[in-house]
Amino acid sequence: MPFQPSSTDGALVVFSGGQDSATCLAWALDRFSRVETLGFDYGQRHAVELACRDTLRDGMAALQGDWKERLGPDHTLELDALGKVSDTALTRDTEIQMTESGLPSTFVPGRNLIFLSFAAALAYRRGLRHIVTGVCETDYSGYPDCRDDTIKALQVALNLGMDSRFVLHTPLMWIDKAQTWQLAESLGGEPLVTLINHESHSCYLGTRGTLHAWGHGCGVCPACELRKSGWTAYEALRGTTHSGNGSHG
């Protein structure tokens, strides 16, 4: 008989160490009985994000007892080949700008397709049916591999190619960055918001240093601008300024 993932309630989260994937990890811990995480080292300039993953995992495990029980092993895969074939601002020391194609130079062709294919291969071996990723079609840079149609098509291809019944979950697909902070708050309250704010990493240039109100980062790259504007909108929605989240630097 063809293999089918043995657990209908186990999930694998594509977990980079950024705000979106950290929120997705909390979302998965709130829903599934067993949750494992997967990160990729593909030669990204902001590889510091990988160093944030353990702190985020440990912090979430400490927030709620059931989350600690549900949190399973972490996995990291090296995909140096992706960095070698990609001539982008995320894998080369080049300027971040819009290209003639209309896409930003931070677009890594095939990245999410490759990530999710490897995630499915690992989920197949680990007996996990659900795969969670933080791609989004609302607050994003126009990356075509973040679109809902792409993810739906890939789910079909993966299930056909592996004769399985994987489900690709995209809990952030239709919400913006402010709503992503709201989702984190609904899942783990102020402690989770603070954990993600302080310990996750979004900056394309890999800058940590100063802790701004919205988190660490250079403050000028597209990822920082998006995170900063999302945090400002989130605070406006709450009608308050969070305490203990650092200074505006």
Side-chain angles (χ1 to χ4, degrees), residues 46-152:
H46 56 305
V48 65
E49 66 179 0
L50 296 174
C52 299
R53 299 168 73 254
D54 286 343
T55 302
L56 287 165
R57 280 173 48 92
D58 292 344
M60 288 190 201
L63 285 180
Q64 298 187 32
D66 56 343
W67 286 12
K68 181 177 181 180
E69 294 298 320
R70 294 174 182 181
L71 186 59
D74 179 47
H75 312 270
T76 302
L77 293 179
E78 295 185 5
L79 293 179
D80 292 350
L82 178 58
K84 291 177 181 178
V85 302
S86 301
D87 186 15
T88 77
L90 288 193
T91 55
R92 300 282 191 275
D93 187 10
T94 59
E95 183 182 357
I96 297 175
Q97 59 185 355
M98 292 300 296
T99 66
E100 294 180 356
S101 69
L103 291 171
S105 59
T106 52
F107 173 59
V108 182
R111 181 177 61 169
N112 285 322
L113 303 179
I114 293 169
F115 283 1
L116 289 169
S117 294
F118 272 91
L122 178 62
Y124 187 104
R125 177 169 67 86
R126 300 292 297 174
L128 301 169
R129 179 182 179 190
H130 302 276
I131 300 170
V132 185
T133 178
V135 297
C136 168
E137 196 172 315
T138 305
D139 268 353
Y140 79 131
S141 300
Y143 299 159
D145 58 355
C146 289
R147 295 180 302 198
D148 187 55
D149 285 348
T150 300
I151 301 303
K152 287 177 177 175

Side-chain angles (χ1 to χ4, degrees), residues 153-213:
L154 185 58
Q155 176 175 290
V156 172
L158 291 173
N159 282 325
L160 287 173
M162 296 189 189
D163 199 13
S164 299
R165 295 181 180 176
F166 295 117
V167 181
L168 301 186
H169 296 271
T170 56
L172 311 184
M173 180 59 74
W174 305 114
I175 65 177
D176 60 23
K177 282 290 184 288
Q179 293 169 316
T180 299
W181 285 116
Q182 287 183 312
L183 175 59
E185 182 180 343
S186 72
L187 293 167
E190 185 72 18
L192 179 61
V193 171
T194 299
L195 174 68
I196 296 175
N197 182 289
H198 287 191
E199 303 300 341
S200 68
H201 182 85
S202 302
C203 176
Y204 284 154
L205 301 184
T207 302
R208 293 296 286 175
T210 301
L211 177 62
H212 307 281

Side-chain angles (χ1 to χ4, degrees), residues 7-46:
S7 172
T8 60
D9 201 25
L12 178 65
V13 179
V14 179
F15 182 51
S16 68
Q19 175 195 351
D20 292 344
S21 68
T23 305
C24 286
L25 176 55
W27 182 88
L29 288 169
D30 190 58
R31 283 162 174 75
F32 301 107
S33 62
R34 179 164 63 105
V35 178
E36 300 185 16
T37 52
L38 172 62
F40 296 97
D41 183 353
Y42 60 98
Q44 61 267 51
R45 290 172 65 182
H46 56 305

